[in-house]
């Protein structure tokens, strides 16, 4: 009778194992996606070996580029025979010697995964690693990309070399732009703390571009923040070095572990995508040597209990930094507002000095400028007369000749700028406010086609065509309007004639009254360009309004146009300047039709914005 066999039950438990060892090695070797990071790991191996001098050379041999790293460290650990133990290095992938040394109490070592050497696959095709043994001879291990074998052979040299030499050649085709300058900048940031703490002399020699660089630890700009709260957690202390600088998208805080940069920008981690880390005003580093890294690229952090403790420990520091950032933001806004106000005032003063003085009557800017100019000219004339007391006749004669020449140049200039026939006329002011019972003088501005002033052979006829009031000197050049006892709108009409040419102009007068008598303060309003302030009125249509009592322009900083303009400093400056122009036009020309107000707005904006700096 045949023997019954038991059916094999499927296993419900077991242990993970590698199904294809070589495929696992390939995956590990190609896991590093940044060739610069691979070079940084080679440099860290030299630092861990106790090197004080490290030289990285980029060169060209037989038309192919190579990269060589030479140090004066202790080299590869020796075996029992006193030879470099390349066999252990090649056959103990993922079993790092440094990890064992760390467990034994060694400090300052960075590696722990035993896979850093394989990252040469992302740099070049062939790796040769040279080191000397106790017998004074030099040995080299050769490895090829994509080849599971390795080879160790003796290298014949007259003198044994100290330390370790690592050479990768040829470099991958995509790394032809791997210049010495890029290596220097990357290592200065990536290994900033390790270079500073160990004091190593790290040089990069680029024989292709014939340049040499000394890698110095990256220096941060801005103001160093002192007396910050020291973050602590159960797994260890956290070191921070932070700087407060001007807002810039390039400002970042990097995450380091034991002196080596892990993440360039802390905001790459979701736990830090908030203020103050993403405000763009902080530079510096946060170093936590207890974090666990992702073995593959070594540019990530495991989100385990250590990382959770790290995030929690930084919360008091975040609160302190937010207060500092807000304080600096307020100071910057005040400084920017002062500078912006100064710029706007200067631009408007220049514009009002360029535009006809008779047409813009607000804030008395023109009168101040004219008074200042006349005083300056008087002082210069007085100085000339005083200096003349000590001159001899020869000097006086030279001065008189110079004066005659100046008079001749002036006459010549008048000849070329002689006004032509009458073409247009305006009334100055074109719009104004006159209290009841008060008077106001009006004068004509007559120009030819070239906009030159016409002053000869003119006849004037003034009249009121709408509203109540009286006119004095109605056929003279300057007419005086006397307001009626009742408030209202008055339209003034002017006819200017030159021979057979006739031009007309109009002015609008607003006659006002008040229930309360004017006080001394209201009779002498503050002069000069006003300041501005902000009032948040989100959702409302008004952009700005002028407060006569406070002599300030109130700007709605909740308006969507203001929010859009604040993207850049220049756009914000132009936006506020246009609001000033709008208020200035409304103040100077009340009651004018919309098309004329728009013409005035364009005119004033043109002359103002060309002076904005």
């Amino acid at each position: 009778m045949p023997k019954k066999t038991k059916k094999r039950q499927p296993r419900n438990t077991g242990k993970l194992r590698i199904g294809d060892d070589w495929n696992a090695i390939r995956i590990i070797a190609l896991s590093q996606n940044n060739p610069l990071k691979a070079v940084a790991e080679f440099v860290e191996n030299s630092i861990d070996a106790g090197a004080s001098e490290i030289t990285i050379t980029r060169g060209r041999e037989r038309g192919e580029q190579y990269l060589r790293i030479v140090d004066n460290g202790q080299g590869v650990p020796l075996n029992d025979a006193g030879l470099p133990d390349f066999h252990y290095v090649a056959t103990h992938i993922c079993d790092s010697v440094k990890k064992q040394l760390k467990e034994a109490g060694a400090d300052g070592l960075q590696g722990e995964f035993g896979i850093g050497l394989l990252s040469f696959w992302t740099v070049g095709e062939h790796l040769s690693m040279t080191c000397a043994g106790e017998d004074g001879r030099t040995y080299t291990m050769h490895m090829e990309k994509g080849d599971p074998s390795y080879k160790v052979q003796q290298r014949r040299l007259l003198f044994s070399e100290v330390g370790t030499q690592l050479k990768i050649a040829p470099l991958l085709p995509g790394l032809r732009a791997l210049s010495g300058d890029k290596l220097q900048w990357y290592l200065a940031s990536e290994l900033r703390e390790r270079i500073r703490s160990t004091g190593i002399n790290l040089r990069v020699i680029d024989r292709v571009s014939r340049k040499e660089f000394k890698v110095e630890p990256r220096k941060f700009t801005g103001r160093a923040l002192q007396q910050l709260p020291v973050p602590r957690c159960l797994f260890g202390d956290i070191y921070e070095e932070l700087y407060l600088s001007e807002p810039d998208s390039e400002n970042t805080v990097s995450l380091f572990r034991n002196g080596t940069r892990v993440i360039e920008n802390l905001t790459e981690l979701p736990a830090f995508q908030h203020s103050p880390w993403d405000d763009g005003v902080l530079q510096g580093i946060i170093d936590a040597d207890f974090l666990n890294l992702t073995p593959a690229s070594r540019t990530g952090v495991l989100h385990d209990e250590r990382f959770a403790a790290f995030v929690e420990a930084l919360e008091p520091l975040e609160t302190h930094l937010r207060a500092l950032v807000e304080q600096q933001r307020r100071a910057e806004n005040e400084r920017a507002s002062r500078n912006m106000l100064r710029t706007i005032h200067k631009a408007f003063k220049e514009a009002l000095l360029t535009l006809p003085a008779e047409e813009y009557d607000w804030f008395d800017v023109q009168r101040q400028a004219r008074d200042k100019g006349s005083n300056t000219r008087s002082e210069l004339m007085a100085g000339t007369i005083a200096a003349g007391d000590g001159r001899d006749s020869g000097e006086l004669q030279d001065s008189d000749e110079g004066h005659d020449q100046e008079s001749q140049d002036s006459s010549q200039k008048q000849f070329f700028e002689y006004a032509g026939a009458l073409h247009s006329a305006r009334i100055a002011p074109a719009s104004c406010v006159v209290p009841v019972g008060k008077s106001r003088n009006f004068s004509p501005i007559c120009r030819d086609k070239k906009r030159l002033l016409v002053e000869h052979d003119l006849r004037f006829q003034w009249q009121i065509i709408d509203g109540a009031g009286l006119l004095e000197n109605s056929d003279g050049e300057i007419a005086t309007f006397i307001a009626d006892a009742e408030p209202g709108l008055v339209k003034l009409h002017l006819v200017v004639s030159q021979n057979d040419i006739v031009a007309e102009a109009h002015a609008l007068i607003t006659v006002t009254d008040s229930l309360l008598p004017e006080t001394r303060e209201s009779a002498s309003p503050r002069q000069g360009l006003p300041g501005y302030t902000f009032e948040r009125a989100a959702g409302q249509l008004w952009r700005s309004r002028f407060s006569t009592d406070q002599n300030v322009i109130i700007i709605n900083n909740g308006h969507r146009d203001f929010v859009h303009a604040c993207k850049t400093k220049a756009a914000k400056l132009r936006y506020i300047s246009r609001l000033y122009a709008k208020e200035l036009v409304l103040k100077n020309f009340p009651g004018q039709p919309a098309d004329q107000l728009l013409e005035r707005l364009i005119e004033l904006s043109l002359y103002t914005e060309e002076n904005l700096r």
Side-chain angles (χ1 to χ4, degrees):
M1 187 174 179
K3 188 176 180 181
K4 293 182 178 181
T5 58
K6 294 183 179 180
K7 290 184 178 181
R8 198 173 208 179
Q9 298 295 328
R11 291 186 179 182
N12 295 324
T13 61
K15 292 184 178 181
L16 300 176
R17 65 183 181 88
I18 300 296
D20 187 340
D21 292 343
W22 173 238
N23 188 48
I25 292 175
R26 288 183 68 256
I27 293 173
I28 293 172
L30 295 173
S31 63
Q32 179 57 263
N33 59 357
N34 187 355
L36 292 172
K37 181 69 174 178
V39 176
E41 290 183 1
F42 298 147
V43 174
E44 286 197 286
N45 288 337
S46 299
I47 296 175
D48 291 339
S52 59
E53 300 279 343
I54 304 175
T55 303
I56 304 174
T57 304
R58 171 181 173 250
R60 188 187 298 274
E61 286 181 347
R62 301 182 181 89
E64 300 288 348
Q65 292 190 25
Y66 69 86
L67 196 70
R68 181 169 57 231
I69 303 174
V70 180
D71 67 60
N72 62 348
Q74 299 174 0
V76 177
L78 305 179
N79 57 19
D80 295 337
L83 303 179
D85 200 351
F86 291 123
H87 175 74
Y88 185 92
V89 173
T91 58
H92 284 73
I93 296 172
C94 298
D95 184 16
S96 175
V97 176
K98 297 179 186 178
K99 183 178 180 180
Q100 300 175 11
L101 295 175
K102 285 183 179 181
E103 294 175 351
D107 295 328
L109 301 180
Q110 191 61 267
E112 59 181 319
F113 302 117
I115 59 177
L117 195 62
L118 290 178
S119 61
F120 86 88
W121 284 29
T122 61
V123 180
E125 299 288 346
H126 174 81
L127 178 139
S128 61
M129 189 175 183
T130 304
C131 191
E134 287 184 345
D135 57 0
R137 299 176 180 177
T138 303
Y139 300 87
T140 302
M141 178 180 70
H142 300 275
M143 299 176 67
E144 297 284 344
K145 178 183 178 182
D147 189 347
S149 62
Y150 69 96
K151 181 172 61 175
V152 179
Q153 62 183 24
Q154 181 180 343
R155 186 178 179 185
R156 298 183 178 275
L157 296 173
L158 293 177
F159 302 98
S160 62
E161 297 178 342
V162 179
T164 304
Q165 174 179 297
L166 190 72
K167 183 178 180 181
I168 304 174
L171 300 184
L172 298 181
L175 297 182
R176 292 173 182 172
L178 185 66
S179 63
D181 187 47
K182 290 183 179 179
L183 282 171
Q184 174 215 8
W185 283 108
Y186 183 82
L187 296 175
S189 298
E190 186 76 7
L191 306 179
R192 177 181 185 270
E193 294 304 305
R194 297 216 71 187
I195 296 174
R196 190 171 66 170
S197 61
T198 57
I200 63 169
N201 182 17
L202 177 58
R203 296 184 302 148
V204 176
I205 301 175
D206 192 343
R207 292 179 177 172
V208 177
S209 60
R210 297 183 179 88
K211 294 181 180 179
E212 181 174 346
F213 308 92
K214 179 176 174 56
V215 181
E216 301 283 355
R218 177 192 172 188
K219 296 180 180 179
F220 295 106
T221 59
R223 175 169 60 91
L225 298 179
Q226 307 292 342
Q227 299 179 349
L228 295 176
V230 179
R232 291 187 175 91
C233 67
L234 295 176
F235 302 99
D237 293 343
I238 301 172
Y239 171 77
E240 80 275 349
E241 181 181 345
L242 299 174
Y243 298 81
L244 192 61
S245 59
E246 297 293 329
D248 194 332
S249 59
E250 299 295 327
N251 292 334
T252 60
V253 177
S254 302
L255 178 62
F256 281 64
R257 195 192 74 158
N258 200 18
T260 300
R261 188 173 63 182
V262 177
I263 297 178
E264 182 177 359
N265 191 344
L266 198 62
T267 58
E268 296 176 16
L269 300 172
F272 298 98
Q273 293 176 355
H274 55 77
S275 179
W277 312 113
D278 60 357
D279 289 335
V281 296
L282 291 177
Q283 293 181 355
I285 67 170
I286 300 289
D287 195 317
D289 57 4
F290 55 82
L291 294 175
N292 290 322
L293 307 184
T294 54
S297 61
R298 276 82 77 195
T299 56
V301 180
L302 294 181
H303 289 58
D304 52 10
E305 69 280 358
R306 291 175 176 261
F307 180 76
F310 170 73
V311 173
E312 183 179 357
L314 288 183
E315 290 179 356
L317 177 62
E318 291 179 356
T319 303
H320 186 80
L321 291 174
R322 271 193 290 266
L324 293 178
V325 170
E326 182 61 28
Q327 181 181 357
Q328 171 163 306
R329 182 180 289 113
R330 287 196 300 268
E332 288 176 353
N333 289 339
E334 292 176 1
R335 183 169 62 253
S337 295
R338 288 195 299 269
N339 294 338
M340 195 169 296
L341 182 62
R342 190 180 302 114
T343 302
I344 291 173
H345 279 193
K346 181 179 178 181
F348 271 96
K349 288 180 180 179
E350 293 291 335
L352 294 179
L353 290 174
T354 304
L355 293 169
E358 300 84 359
E359 299 180 8
Y360 288 89
D361 193 31
W362 199 27
F363 303 135
D364 205 22
V365 176
Q366 299 285 356
R367 186 191 304 170
Q368 293 174 4
R370 287 196 301 270
D371 292 344
K372 181 178 180 180
S374 62
N375 291 339
T376 304
R377 286 193 295 270
S378 300
E379 292 173 2
L380 289 175
M381 292 178 64
T384 303
I385 294 172
D389 295 340
R391 294 183 296 178
D392 58 21
S393 58
E395 292 175 331
L396 289 172
Q397 183 178 0
D398 293 340
S399 175
D400 293 339
E401 291 177 358
H403 180 71
D404 293 340
Q405 182 66 32
E406 183 179 354
S407 301
Q408 182 179 355
D409 293 341
S410 177
S411 301
Q412 188 176 12
K413 182 177 180 181
Q414 289 180 5
F415 173 77
F416 284 110
E417 294 186 358
Y418 181 78
L422 175 66
H423 178 71
S424 65
R426 287 185 181 180
I427 299 176
S431 177
C432 65
V433 178
V434 179
V436 292
K438 301 296 182 180
S439 62
R440 179 71 184 261
N441 292 337
F442 292 85
S443 60
I445 302 174
C446 305
R447 299 182 185 275
D448 64 0
K449 286 187 177 181
K450 297 181 180 180
R451 294 187 60 79
L452 297 177
L453 286 175
V454 179
E455 299 177 343
H456 304 288
D457 301 328
L458 299 176
R459 295 186 300 275
F460 306 95
Q461 186 62 46
W462 300 83
Q463 62 177 330
I464 298 174
I465 61 175
D466 191 9
L470 296 177
L471 272 179
E472 293 182 353
N473 196 27
S474 59
D475 56 353
E477 180 176 351
I478 299 177
T480 302
F481 170 76
I482 303 174
D484 195 56
E486 295 292 333
L489 293 178
V490 178
K491 194 170 184 180
L492 192 62
H493 181 245
L494 170 65
V495 177
V496 183
S497 58
Q498 185 185 49
N499 299 327
D500 297 335
I501 303 174
V502 177
E504 299 183 5
H506 296 85
L508 186 65
I509 305 172
T510 304
V511 180
T512 62
D513 195 4
S514 176
L515 296 177
L516 298 176
E518 292 186 357
T519 61
R520 179 176 299 180
E521 182 178 358
S522 61
S524 302
R526 284 172 285 183
Q527 299 296 306
L529 288 170
Y532 68 88
T533 186
F534 294 125
E535 179 181 330
R536 187 168 186 83
Q540 298 188 21
L541 296 181
W542 67 276
R543 294 173 175 83
S544 67
R545 59 171 177 256
F546 176 66
S547 174
T548 308
D549 298 334
Q550 299 176 352
N551 194 33
V552 295
I553 293 178
I554 302 174
I555 297 175
N556 181 6
N557 62 350
H559 197 281
R560 62 182 182 181
D561 291 350
F562 182 86
V563 176
H564 177 76
C566 285
K567 292 182 179 179
T568 63
K569 181 181 178 181
K572 182 179 178 181
L573 182 62
R574 288 195 301 270
Y575 179 76
I576 296 179
S577 173
R578 288 165 185 169
L579 294 181
Y580 264 79
K582 182 197 77 169
E583 299 298 337
L584 185 59
V585 169
L586 290 176
K587 186 71 175 178
N588 272 266
F589 309 103
Q592 290 276 30
D595 57 341
Q596 296 186 22
L597 290 177
L598 292 175
E599 295 291 344
R600 293 291 185 177
L601 181 61
I602 293 174
E603 177 186 59
L604 186 55
S605 298
L606 172 66
Y607 285 93
T608 301
E609 292 185 5
E610 71 177 4
N611 295 298
L612 289 177
R613 297 290 186 271

